[in-house]
């Protein structure tokens, strides 16, 4: 009962806590909470968060994203997503479902159907969507909020329209994104839903003062497991700690491949395919245990080679996890 309650609370915490700055006291507190409770919240039978890659396609060509280097799979099939959701529900595991990875989730025509199914399956399931926001018109925003989604994260790369175009690789006006965000916030107020709207910024010079009613999350560009080294803004850290993803999250790619990492571009860390196995088997298998051991020892073999040059493990503080 205690483990169920802790898992339920951690799922809620993941999608509803937001700090205004990575340097704030709230951020410090958040890291402390995760270090204390995240450690006890590790479930060796089933991941706390499952990332579903709804689409490998994208409407942008971001210069910091290596998506086009990867195999293209289109959209995830609803039956594949349903199998994952049903497994979490049948095991009575409250789970955070993160809708993101390499593509734009709003390109999947089944997105609202999938979110509704998650929310109807278990009261403890939480859904968080990460989008570039350019497709989030008033109609899509209304449909999205109607699903009772818990969190919508909109990536916001620059205050400058020209800089934005340069980064996203498309001749799209920033004013379109601004209008979409404002519309989403307004619709949330009108519908009276509890969706946490987050503007994810990249760089201290980016302002969100025009988006009253949204939270802010500051992030830094990472090197996507070594695929985009020129865009990484992370500091060099001598004392490396194990990446939290191997203990808390897993990703189902659009083709059904299971990998513990959301930046595993070529599925080098593949644990199997959800069409042929189940998530519980993959999560408790020897291959993942071997990866965890390599992270604890900070010694990476060819089976975990992409982790060696990756810097995304710095996104979360050391949880103190040292068991496989």
């Amino acid at each position: 009962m205690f483990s169920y309650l802790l898992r339920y609370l951690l799922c809620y915490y993941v999608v509803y806590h937001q700090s205004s700055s990575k340097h704030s006291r709230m951020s410090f507190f958040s890291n402390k909470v995760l270090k204390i409770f995240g450690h006890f919240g590790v479930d060796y039978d089933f991941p706390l968060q499952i990332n579903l890659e709804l689409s490998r396609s994208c409407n942008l060509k971001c210069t910091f994203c290596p998506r086009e280097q990867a195999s293209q799979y289109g959209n995830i099939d609803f039956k594949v997503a349903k199998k994952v959701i049903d497994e979490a529900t049948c095991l009575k595991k409250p789970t955070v479902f993160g809708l993101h990875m390499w593509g734009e989730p709003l390109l999947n025509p089944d997105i609202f159907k999938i979110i509704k199914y998650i929310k109807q399956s278990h009261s403890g399931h939480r859904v968080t969507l990460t989008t570039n926001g350019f497709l989030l018109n008033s109609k899509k925003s209304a449909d999205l909020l109607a699903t009772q989604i818990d969190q919508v994260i909109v990536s916001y790369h620059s205050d400058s329209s020209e800089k934005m175009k340069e980064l996203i690789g498309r001749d799209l006006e920033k004013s379109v994104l601004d209008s979409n965000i404002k519309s989403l916030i307004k619709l949330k107020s009108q519908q009276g839903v509890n969706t946490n709207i987050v503007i994810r910024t990249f760089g201290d010079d980016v302002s969100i003062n025009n988006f009253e009613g949204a939270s802010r999350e500051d992030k830094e560009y990472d090197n996507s497991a070594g695929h985009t080294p020129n865009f990484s803004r992370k500091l060099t850290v001598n004392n490396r700690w194990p990446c939290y993803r191997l203990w808390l999250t897993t990703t189902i790619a659009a083709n059904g491949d299971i990998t513990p990492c959301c930046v595993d571009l070529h599925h080098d860390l593949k644990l199997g395919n959800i069409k042929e196995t189940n998530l519980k088997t993959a999560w408790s298998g020897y291959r993942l245990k071997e990866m965890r051991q390599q992270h604890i020892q900070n010694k990476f073999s060819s089976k975990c080679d992409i982790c060696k040059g990756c810097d995304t493990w710095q996104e979360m503080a050391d949880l103190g996890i040292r068991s496989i």
Side-chain angles (χ1 to χ4, degrees), residues 19 152 189 196:
S19 57
V152 178
S189 177
N196 183 21

PDB file of all heavy atoms in Angstrom, residues 19 152 189 196:
ATOM      1  N   SER A  19       9.420  24.832 -11.248  1.00  0.00           N
ATOM      2  CA  SER A  19      10.133  25.961 -10.652  1.00  0.00           C
ATOM      3  C   SER A  19      10.291  27.047 -11.702  1.00  0.00           C
ATOM      4  O   SER A  19      10.399  26.768 -12.885  1.00  0.00           O
ATOM      5  CB  SER A  19      11.508  25.516 -10.150  1.00  0.00           C
ATOM      6  OG  SER A  19      12.252  24.940 -11.188  1.00  0.00           O
ATOM      7  N   VAL A 152       0.995  20.412 -20.427  1.00  0.00           N
ATOM      8  CA  VAL A 152       1.400  20.701 -21.797  1.00  0.00           C
ATOM      9  C   VAL A 152       2.652  21.560 -21.733  1.00  0.00           C
ATOM     10  O   VAL A 152       2.646  22.648 -21.147  1.00  0.00           O
ATOM     11  CB  VAL A 152       0.303  21.454 -22.586  1.00  0.00           C
ATOM     12  CG1 VAL A 152       0.801  21.780 -24.000  1.00  0.00           C
ATOM     13  CG2 VAL A 152      -0.976  20.639 -22.649  1.00  0.00           C
ATOM     14  N   SER A 189      -8.468  28.687 -19.018  1.00  0.00           N
ATOM     15  CA  SER A 189      -9.250  29.463 -18.065  1.00  0.00           C
ATOM     16  C   SER A 189     -10.744  29.326 -18.341  1.00  0.00           C
ATOM     17  O   SER A 189     -11.554  29.166 -17.421  1.00  0.00           O
ATOM     18  CB  SER A 189      -8.834  30.937 -18.136  1.00  0.00           C
ATOM     19  OG  SER A 189      -9.619  31.721 -17.273  1.00  0.00           O
ATOM     20  N   ASN A 196      -1.514  21.888 -16.375  1.00  0.00           N
ATOM     21  CA  ASN A 196      -0.338  22.706 -16.082  1.00  0.00           C
ATOM     22  C   ASN A 196       0.338  23.082 -17.402  1.00  0.00           C
ATOM     23  O   ASN A 196       0.902  22.232 -18.084  1.00  0.00           O
ATOM     24  CB  ASN A 196       0.629  21.912 -15.194  1.00  0.00           C
ATOM     25  CG  ASN A 196       1.839  22.734 -14.780  1.00  0.00           C
ATOM     26  OD1 ASN A 196       1.813  23.954 -14.804  1.00  0.00           O
ATOM     27  ND2 ASN A 196       2.909  22.055 -14.403  1.00  0.00           N
TER      28      ASN A 196
END
